[in-house]
Every structure is written in C-alpha cells, then in structure tokens.
Amino acid sequence: MSGIGNKDFQHSYATSHNLISPKPQNAITIAVSSRVLFNMEKEQQIYEQQGMEDYIKYQVAHETEPFSPGPAFSFVKALEAVNTQLRELYPESEELFDVVLMTNNHAYVGLRLINTINHHQLFIERFCMTGGNSPIGYLKAYHTNLYLSADPLKVREALEEGIAAATMFTPEKMKEVSETQLRVAFDGDAVLFSDESERIYKAHGLDKFFEHEKAHENKPLDHGPLKGFLEALGKLQKKFYGKGQRMDCPIRTYLVTARSAASSGTRALKTLRSWGLEIDEALFLAGAPKGPMLEKIRPHIFFDDQMFHVEGAAEMGTVACHVPYGVAQRVTEKE
C-alpha cells in the first residue's frame, strides 16, 4: 500500500532537494494521519453523510486543489527545520526525523495528497494508504516513535500495542509558532510518567497524594506512554550540544504539570534525572489552568491525558493532543 503512485514524484522531489530518507531503524519516525496534517473537514463530512463512493468521486474531481494546513502542519514543518540543521552539522548521520503519512484512504485519494505535499513543499517520502484497514502493523514496521491521529479509537489501539500516540485537536484559531525552533510541551503524570500518583489522588484525595509523593520522592516513577518520545528528542538535542549549540538549540522541551513544586515537584524532577533525561523548562502550576501558560510558550504540540486541559489549551490557540492513558480515562469513558 505504501507509496502507491508517488515514486517518480518523490524521487524527483528528493533529488532536487538533495535529500534521502533515513532508514526507519535509524530515524525518529513520526506518523501523522492525513486528517491532522491537512484540513479535511469538508471531505470527512461527505464521507460520513454520503458514503465512500461519493467521497472518492469528490476527491478525484478536486485532486488538483491542495488541502489547507491542519493542526499538525506547523509541527511537521518544525521537524523539517530541525532536520535541515542536523544535516548541516552531521551530513552522514541518519539520526533525523522521518515523517510517514498514515491514511486509511483509498489509493485513489493519494494523488490529491501528493499534490498537496508538493504544493506545500513538504518532504514526506513514506505513505501508507491502508484502504480502511488498521494502521498498527505499518506503525510497528516503521519503528514509529509517535503516532498522531484525529481518530481516538486508532490512538487507543496504538497505545495498547505500546506505540506512543495521541489524538490531535484543531484549535479554532491557531497561534503563530516558531519556524526555527521545535517546541514540545508535555504533561507529567500519565504522559511522561505512569499514572501511579494520579491513582492515589483519584482514590484518596490531594492530602494523601502529597503524603505519598513525599514518602516516595526518591523512588522514580514508572515510565508513561510518551517517555520514549522525550528520550528521542533528548538524543537529538545532545547532538546540537555536542557542537556547542546548547543555548540556541532548535529543539526545546517543556514539562507543564498541575503538580505543585514544593509538595510534589521533587519526585517528577528526580524521575527525569534518574532516566538521564533533561527537560528545558519545568512549570509547576499547582492546579492553575494550563492554557494561559501554554499561550506564552507557544509550543507546536502539547500532550495531556485529561480532556479539560486539552480543551483549555485549544481554546487559547495551542495545538493540543489527548493521550488516552491511565486512570483519568475511566472518568471520561462515558463521554
């Protein structure tokens, strides 16, 4: 299914840009669905209301019209900007971001996607058009480090298979973000860390949570679903540090947590240190809303396990992703 009908185009595009895709086992592979990379809301409505045949006819009739950017577009552009700098510093290295376009579209729709990628001058070599089948097998084959989709069921399926994944939402009005520095913001519990501490809080309340964190502050938390992605970002950051670029590194990471610094922040920071991971900025908000702080950071992407934080961020223009993992999901299951 991968790369149907786009081999010649991609070869000429890559040649003109002197770019070669890294081997999947060497790259940091980011799989994005077509519905988060591009704005396909109108097409999705046709599919839902009129069915597959009308949807395909519409796409074929409009295949020379490029899609407009979706919520993941700025993130992908920032990945490409980091790759440009990595190639300058390490011309022979394959430790680069590699974006794979995952879509359950029929191959007929592929031409419009290829035309859109060409129009926006994106470097995306790898396509998977699964024709309605689950993408999980392909995600594993590509050694995927992160999967972004608009479909919460596919995201849950990926997480259950041990693949870092999140459901991406489109803010009503997206804030402008940096074109030269990739900024990634993470919640702590049930995102970078396990939901162990959150379970204590949900079951026994805030006081018991503080007691538990104080008693266990020297015991690292277990890893959460996105720890591996932070690890991958850290690995690339160190390549810039090795060339004396710590202060102007084109990757910046943020921990944005509802924990309070004095009573429960120690364990979070000691956990990161025990993993050998650095985070550039840590914001302990002690329960305050995350939206205003994220508006100041302007990340390309923010990950949280609780929908009200995701919605609060999106309302203020941040591209926010829901990680449906851990005890908080049981509360929202009915929704």
Side-chain angles (χ1 to χ4, degrees):
M1 295 264 180
S2 175
I4 292 174
N6 68 339
K7 197 177 286 181
D8 294 338
F9 157 73
Q10 292 293 5
H11 176 73
S12 63
Y13 186 88
T15 305
S16 66
H17 288 67
N18 295 319
L19 302 181
I20 298 168
S21 279
K23 295 181 188 74
Q25 62 268 32
N26 300 332
I28 294 165
T29 301
I30 312 295
V32 294
S33 79
S34 53
R35 278 174 57 204
V36 296
L37 184 56
F38 304 121
N39 182 343
M40 299 176 71
E41 283 178 27
K42 184 178 181 182
E43 290 75 11
Q44 186 66 13
Q45 281 180 347
I46 292 169
Y47 171 67
E48 288 169 4
Q49 291 165 14
Q50 295 166 232
M52 177 63 86
E53 295 310 312
D54 282 359
Y55 170 80
I56 290 173
K57 278 180 196 164
Y58 180 88
Q59 293 282 36
V60 171
H62 293 81
E63 68 185 22
T64 58
E65 296 169 23
F67 294 111
S68 60
F73 188 88
S74 295
F75 175 60
V76 167
K77 290 293 276 185
L79 299 178
E80 292 189 351
V82 173
N83 276 357
T84 299
Q85 294 195 48
L86 281 168
R87 284 189 171 103
E88 285 170 9
L89 294 173
Y90 300 93
E92 303 304 314
S93 177
E94 287 201 329
E95 282 185 296
L96 299 160
F97 291 112
D98 189 25
V99 178
V100 177
L101 187 67
M102 281 281 166
T103 173
N104 63 358
N105 269 302
H106 194 284
Y108 267 121
V109 182
L111 281 174
R112 190 175 183 196
L113 288 168
I114 292 163
N115 289 337
T116 301
I117 283 167
N118 193 18
H119 172 79
H120 291 295
Q121 296 185 317
L122 294 171
F123 181 67
I124 298 178
E125 283 263 86
R126 298 188 165 110
F127 273 40
C128 280
M129 297 174 220
T130 67
N133 288 337
S134 166
I136 299 300
Y138 299 106
L139 292 172
K140 286 185 167 179
Y142 278 122
H143 304 274
T144 300
N145 297 84
L146 177 67
Y147 171 50
L148 300 172
S149 174
D151 185 336
L153 294 176
K154 288 198 178 75
V155 166
R156 281 176 187 269
E157 194 184 348
L159 284 170
E160 283 163 13
E161 292 292 326
I163 297 162
T167 311
M168 185 173 257
F169 292 85
T170 307
E172 278 186 32
K173 193 176 180 191
M174 283 184 270
K175 293 278 178 198
E176 278 188 29
V177 287
S178 172
E179 290 182 6
T180 55
Q181 184 180 60
L182 170 66
R183 296 177 191 169
V184 184
F186 300 89
D187 178 31
D189 296 289
V191 175
L192 291 178
F193 315 129
S194 72
D195 67 340
E196 168 204 325
S197 300
E198 213 156 272
R199 285 172 188 272
I200 302 288
Y201 168 62
K202 297 280 183 199
H204 305 291
L206 201 55
D207 290 342
K208 286 286 183 199
F209 165 76
F210 289 147
E211 277 176 38
H212 177 267
E213 292 306 283
K214 191 73 186 155
H216 295 82
E217 69 175 34
N218 292 314
K219 180 178 181 251
L221 288 151
D222 201 0
H223 67 85
L226 266 80
K227 179 218 173 184
F229 181 52
L230 176 63
E231 217 162 22
L233 293 175
K235 200 166 140 191
L236 291 187
Q237 282 180 309
K238 282 178 179 159
K239 297 189 81 166
F240 288 102
Y241 300 167
K243 297 285 188 180
Q245 292 192 13
R246 179 178 279 271
M247 296 312 291
D248 52 0
C249 179
I251 304 170
R252 195 159 184 83
T253 55
Y254 303 79
L255 173 66
V256 183
T257 172
R259 284 176 176 251
S260 51
S263 51
S264 55
T266 303
R267 191 177 186 198
L269 294 178
K270 283 187 172 180
T271 296
L272 290 169
R273 184 186 289 173
S274 78
W275 292 344
L277 294 182
E278 291 183 39
I279 201 116
D280 293 304
E281 297 188 31
L283 306 173
F284 295 95
L285 303 184
K290 296 183 179 183
M293 206 55 75
L294 289 162
E295 190 184 19
K296 295 283 180 280
I297 294 170
R298 301 211 170 184
H300 294 86
I301 195 165
F302 165 61
F303 300 97
D304 204 292
D305 67 308
Q306 304 205 38
M307 272 307 297
F308 69 91
H309 287 311
V310 171
E311 287 161 359
E315 277 168 20
M316 299 194 77
T318 295
V319 174
C321 296
H322 181 232
V323 182
Y325 175 86
V327 69
Q329 308 318 310
R330 291 174 195 169
V331 181
T332 56
E333 202 71 44
K334 287 177 185 171
E335 294 169 15

